[in-house]
Amino acid sequence: MVSLYEAQQKIYPRSVSGLFSRWRWVLVWLTQLVFYGLPWLEWGQRQAVLFDLGARRFYLFGLVLYPQDFIYLTGLLVISALSLFLFTAVAGRLWCGYACPQTVYTEIFLWIERRTEGDRSARMRLDAAPMSLNKLWRKGGKHFLWLAVAGWTGFTFVGYFTPILELGREFLQLRMTSWEVFWVLFYAFATYGNAGFLREQVCKYMCPYARFQSAMFDPDTLIVTYDEERGEPRGARSRKADPAALGLGACVDCSLCVQVCPTGIDIRQGLQYECIGCGACADVCDTVMDKLGYARGLVKYSTQNAVQGRWSRAEIWRRVRRPRVLIYALILLAVSIALVVSLVLRTPLKVDVVRDRGALSRIVAGGMIENVYRIQIMNATESVQHYRLSVSGLPGLTLATESLLQVDATASRWVAVRIQMPYESTRPGSHPIYLDVAAQSDGAHVREKSVFHVPR
Ligand code: SF4
Ligand code: SF4
């Protein structure tokens, strides 16, 4: 019987140092300082960044957002998508190789693996060896540290949704809610599984971005390339040997570029969808070239056009300013400016008007027709506000309830509002009216349209 299933071969990436590896670590530190650090920042008397789903408030430093401000999240997503288009068109899988959480956590987990089990060959030997005290100690230590990082990551994640100090207290007193426990464990498990075990398989089989980004590549996109003309024919030689005399190219066929590759591919076979553009093969090949006294750059970031036309770096840079990139950049700039301006000009007050469903309208004392509404006033400032309510749109329209309302800081309040008008002032039917809510202190003002019903 022929099996069509190919078992996954475990990849043991060798450690590497060099320019791109240093950049990756810079990004690991930056992204993780932001992720782990943000929930601990205070803004006034509260957490600076908090998505309080229960209270339906989102705090972003000085901003207090309501679900009604969803448009800003949409703007942020559009900016993220456009940035991805722009950076991918210019520099290929820059995000994948340096800043994607999958890459970042795999890098952290690999660092722990190397500290506990050793580099590539030591790890391969340890995996092949029978169980022993040494193996148990090393494997146990690795998993303990992985679980600690994963647990802390899950705790931090939940700390964006529940005030992290409160969450810490709840954890120490063993009184976390079942949902908090679930999400901490869920996120920790995802981190542990993805960064510890699945690794390159997430990029190869699970990530949708890896699939559609090839559509954003063009012949001027930066990719990691092997200079075939210079490298071939490949072959081993002594350090002192003259490759030209031996009829060899610059590649010594050491396979180090394959050994450092986190997805286990051979860059010498050309651009492959598994390549995340991390530059590890370029770093290691440069160290090989240095040892041999050859020029660096046998494996390097370049573009398809640059490789074919043997372009200089200046020519590659010139092609960055191509129409497609400029259009992406302009749209990105316009959307970013629009988002910032709309956030700056945003009214820190939201109003929702709902007609009372119990009674369409009724006739009350004094020959007045009355309609009842429920109004939600959302105070998006961090101080107590007083709002004046007024109505307009029909002759003789008056408020029969309190017009001055107080709403606590970052709170919302529902109020029942009765609006009346003399019966003979207008004809029967549904008439548009306007409800104005104006803040007494900062001048914020919102006008909402509704309908006043006059019975026959
Ligand atoms: S690291 Fe460089 S020299 Fe070694 S096999 Fe790869 S391309 Fe050839
Ligand atoms: S081929 Fe090179 S750049 Fe691509 S994933 Fe492997 S090591 Fe990274």
Side-chain angles (χ1 to χ4, degrees):
M1 180 150 32
V2 179
S3 170
L4 297 177
Y5 174 75
E6 190 193 358
Q8 174 69 26
Q9 298 290 323
K10 186 171 174 186
I11 294 171
Y12 297 85
R14 179 190 276 270
S15 68
V16 61
S17 58
L19 177 68
F20 305 119
S21 165
R22 281 197 293 280
W23 268 113
R24 192 162 26 265
W25 274 106
V26 167
L27 265 295
V28 168
W29 277 101
L30 264 178
T31 52
Q32 296 318 289
L33 274 176
V34 170
F35 175 72
Y36 292 116
L38 261 188
W40 297 97
L41 288 185
E42 293 280 309
W43 187 271
Q45 300 300 308
R46 61 163 169 85
Q47 191 168 311
V49 178
L50 179 68
F51 306 108
D52 190 342
L53 294 178
R56 297 198 180 118
R57 303 275 186 292
F58 308 114
Y59 302 97
L60 281 174
F61 298 94
L63 275 180
V64 182
L65 300 173
Y66 282 82
Q68 285 82 349
D69 292 312
F70 199 76
I71 185 76
Y72 299 115
L73 178 65
T74 312
L76 215 61
L77 290 177
V78 170
I79 288 175
S80 308
L82 283 169
S83 306
L84 208 62
F85 292 171
L86 175 66
F87 293 123
T88 305
V90 173
R93 296 182 71 174
L94 207 57
W95 164 258
C96 301
Y98 295 87
C100 169
Q102 181 61 20
T103 298
V104 165
Y105 286 104
T106 300
E107 195 76 17
I108 296 171
F109 274 48
L110 262 172
W111 182 85
I112 294 172
E113 194 167 80
R114 287 186 188 117
R115 290 290 164 285
T116 48
E117 295 183 1
D119 204 0
R120 176 183 154 88
S121 44
R123 295 204 303 276
M124 290 167 94
R125 276 199 307 277
L126 191 71
D127 273 1
M131 185 49 79
S132 65
L133 210 59
N134 174 52
K135 184 168 178 173
L136 193 68
W137 165 248
R138 288 181 181 278
K139 292 267 174 202
K142 176 182 85 173
H143 285 285
F144 173 77
L145 293 172
W146 278 5
L147 284 170
V149 174
W152 188 246
T153 307
F155 177 82
T156 304
F157 174 74
V158 175
Y160 279 92
F161 301 92
T162 299
I164 201 159
L165 286 171
E166 200 180 306
L167 189 68
R169 268 193 298 275
E170 287 175 5
F171 173 71
L172 293 175
Q173 294 165 4
L174 300 178
R175 54 178 186 84
M176 279 166 72
T177 64
S178 46
W179 276 115
E180 285 166 353
V181 172
F182 170 80
W183 283 111
V184 168
L185 291 181
F186 180 85
Y187 203 80
F189 178 72
T191 308
Y192 179 67
N194 288 343
F197 300 93
L198 293 179
R199 292 188 178 169
E200 78 289 347
Q201 296 177 62
V202 173
C203 312
K204 280 160 79 171
Y205 308 118
M206 292 161 71
C207 177
Y209 171 55
R211 290 284 167 280
F212 71 76
Q213 67 182 329
S214 53
M216 296 176 226
F217 277 43
D218 63 29
D220 288 311
T221 298
L222 269 187
I223 46 174
V224 177
T225 55
Y226 166 68
D227 189 340
E228 204 173 326
E229 207 174 306
R230 201 187 131 198
E232 301 296 319
R234 64 186 81 158
R237 82 288 312 260
S238 81
R239 250 185 227 201
K240 289 182 194 132
D242 175 12
L246 295 171
L248 291 172
C251 175
V252 294
D253 207 11
C254 61
S255 85
L256 283 176
C257 49
V258 182
Q259 294 178 33
V260 296
C261 179
T263 61
I265 59 168
D266 186 345
I267 191 65
R268 294 171 299 173
Q269 290 173 6
L271 181 63
Q272 293 144 77
Y273 83 93
E274 295 97 333
C275 175
I276 59 167
C278 67
C281 49
D283 271 342
V284 81
C285 192
D286 278 350
T287 61
V288 174
M289 295 296 110
D290 286 351
K291 276 187 197 143
L292 290 164
Y294 297 173
R296 286 180 159 208
L298 178 58
V299 179
K300 62 183 174 195
Y301 279 99
S302 188
T303 69
Q304 223 173 302
N305 279 339
V307 170
Q308 280 162 10
R310 312 219 62 83
W311 288 358
S312 66
R313 195 169 285 192
E315 281 170 303
I316 296 176
W317 275 113
R318 216 175 19 253
R319 283 301 296 158
V320 169
R321 298 191 299 270
R322 55 194 186 275
R324 177 187 184 168
V325 173
L326 295 177
I327 290 169
Y328 282 151
L330 278 176
I331 299 174
L332 180 62
L333 189 70
V335 177
S336 305
I337 291 174
L339 183 71
V340 172
V341 170
S342 64
L343 272 173
V344 171
L345 300 178
R346 167 179 168 271
T347 307
L349 163 68
K350 301 258 166 289
V351 177
D352 268 349
V353 179
V354 183
R355 276 187 58 87
D356 185 68
R357 280 154 209 256
L360 213 50
S361 62
R362 59 188 173 216
I363 298 180
V364 293
M368 306 288 274
I369 311 164
E370 181 176 276
N371 280 204
V372 182
Y373 303 80
R374 277 169 53 75
I375 299 187
Q376 187 187 27
I377 299 174
M378 290 162 267
N379 175 5
T381 70
E382 303 209 48
S383 54
V384 176
Q385 293 287 339
H386 295 92
Y387 299 104
R388 183 164 297 282
L389 193 62
S390 56
V391 283
S392 58
L394 284 174
L397 207 60
T398 51
L399 265 179
T401 41
E402 184 62 59
S403 66
L404 198 60
L405 302 161
Q406 177 181 312
V407 183
D408 289 342
T410 72
S412 69
R413 182 178 164 191
W414 279 101
V415 282
V417 173
R418 289 184 287 120
I419 298 176
Q420 298 179 350
M421 71 175 291
Y423 184 68
E424 65 280 0
S425 299
T426 190
R427 62 192 192 287
S430 293
H431 304 277
I433 59 163
Y434 300 96
L435 290 107
D436 290 90
V437 180
Q440 300 289 283
S441 57
D442 59 9
H445 173 247
V446 169
R447 165 169 279 200
E448 283 290 312
K449 195 175 175 186
S450 192
V451 167
F452 191 89
H453 185 74
V454 179
R456 290 185 187 281

